[in-house]
Amino acid sequence: PSGHDPNKYVVERIKAKSHDGRMIPISLVRLKSSKQDGTSKILLYAYGAYKHSVSPSFSASRFCLVDRGITFAIAHIRGGGDLGDNWHTEGKKKLKKNTFHDYIACANHLIEQRYTHKGGLCFYGGSAGGLTGGSVANMAPELFFAMLLLVPFVDTMTTMLNEKLPLTPAEWELWGNPIKSKEYFDYILSYSPYNNLGKKKYPPMLITSSIFDNRVLYSEPVKYIAKLRDVKEDDNEQLLKCKMEAAGHGGMSGRDNAIKELAEEYSFILKNAKIWIMEIKEKFDWYCRSTWSKSAYNTLWCLIGCSIGDFGTIYYFQITPHSLSVFLVMLIAIINGIITSIILETIILFRQKFK
């Protein structure tokens, strides 16, 4: 595409050892200038079902994240068909938990190799990939700064027990039939995300659904997030977006709607990665250094830094009377910092002129 410079990026294919010794491929793209020192953030996408292969391909939209320092990675976990029929077979029915262990192994490998750090990953996946995310959230929530579960298959047990649903009988080939087999009942119950939510700290989440989705009924994510909010022990945002207008399992039709939905998802990622405040600081940093003296610059950032430190909730603002008052206090503090810095700069220039 116009303006794209491939020389700015590094594309890699690495492997992580899973719990049973299987080597799980990971594809990733990152800025060549990003340091492999354990400070970067990573979006780790996964699916892992239906023998679907997630082939690495070019996507212009991903560079909205990559150009801001977030590594985009794909975990080619079992359940998919990335490495053939056996790869799929080893991630279904009574081996389904291999899918979740594979993902966690990939996440830990990226941490060990200093591509990121514990708490520096974002899960991104939908549908059966949302099942992977929901299960991993119960198993290792401490790995993530955010999770996006898009139209997620999170109430697996209830769906597999309802043979009147048009898709359920065909799905037994992948997950097993808990109606006829107690063994499958117990196994599905042991990993179904909704049934295994517990009293622990979960990361910020964005969960999407559509009232007209006939593959994953809207009741699944709605039930899931209601229970999550009831049992969790954190103060993080877990948001539900349920589309009430015409939209299916793949979202709303039309290019513009697809772009809008992607923008919402990426905004949630950037917010929780704290990327936007870093961009503001970089731009302001450049302006201050190019126009003000070092003393005035340091004083300004000291005052603004103290203000942001005292009112850190700006990052999670919703427009309420309380948050608006906090915002106004912060705004006054920042304006005060700017005025103080201008006065300091004027004094410095005056003293230099009359030395």
Side-chain angles (χ1 to χ4, degrees), residues 133-135 137-139 149 154 189-200 202 205 207 220-232 238:
S135 297
N138 288 328
M139 297 165 69
L149 310 182
V154 284
L189 189 63
S190 71
Y191 69 74
S192 177
Y194 172 79
N195 299 99
N196 289 278
L197 286 168
K199 293 185 180 298
K200 62 183 73 173
Y202 288 89
M205 291 186 184
I207 301 170
E220 292 200 31
V222 169
K223 282 175 60 179
Y224 176 83
I225 198 162
K227 184 177 180 181
L228 171 64
R229 289 170 175 171
D230 185 52
V231 302
K232 71 190 186 85
Q238 283 89 21

Side-chain angles (χ1 to χ4, degrees), residues 307-328:
S307 302
I308 292 175
D310 290 339
F311 302 99
T313 51
I314 189 175
Y315 206 77
Y316 299 96
F317 272 163
Q318 305 294 326
I319 302 303
T320 63
H322 171 69
S323 63
L324 186 59
S325 66
V326 175
F327 176 76
L328 290 174

Side-chain angles (χ1 to χ4, degrees), residues 209-227:
S209 181
S210 169
I211 199 167
F212 296 106
D213 189 342
N214 60 1
R215 293 193 188 182
V216 176
L217 300 183
Y218 72 91
S219 57
E220 292 200 31
V222 169
K223 282 175 60 179
Y224 176 83
I225 198 162
K227 184 177 180 181

Side-chain angles (χ1 to χ4, degrees), residues 20 23 37 41 59 87 121 125 127 135 138 140 165 180 186 191 260 266 275:
D20 58 357
M23 301 303 294
D37 59 1
K41 299 286 198 304
S59 171
W87 205 250
L121 289 108
S127 193
S135 297
N138 288 328
L165 293 175
K180 294 184 177 180
D186 292 338
Y191 69 74
K260 179 182 177 182
Y266 281 7
I275 296 295

Side-chain angles (χ1 to χ4, degrees), residues 22 55 73 92 105 118 136 148 158 174 176 187 202-203 217 227 248-249 293 299 301 307 325 333-335 337:
R22 277 289 210 175
S55 301
K92 71 175 189 176
K118 191 173 183 178
V136 168
L148 284 82
T158 300
L174 287 172
Y187 189 73
Y202 288 89
L217 300 183
K227 184 177 180 181
H249 192 60
S293 70
T299 301
W301 270 116
S307 302
S325 66
I334 291 174
I335 293 172

Side-chain angles (χ1 to χ4, degrees), residues 284-294 296-297 345 349:
F284 203 71
D285 182 81
W286 173 84
Y287 174 77
C288 290
R289 288 190 183 281
S290 61
T291 58
W292 292 358
S293 70
K294 187 174 180 180
Y297 163 80
E345 177 72 4
L349 292 175

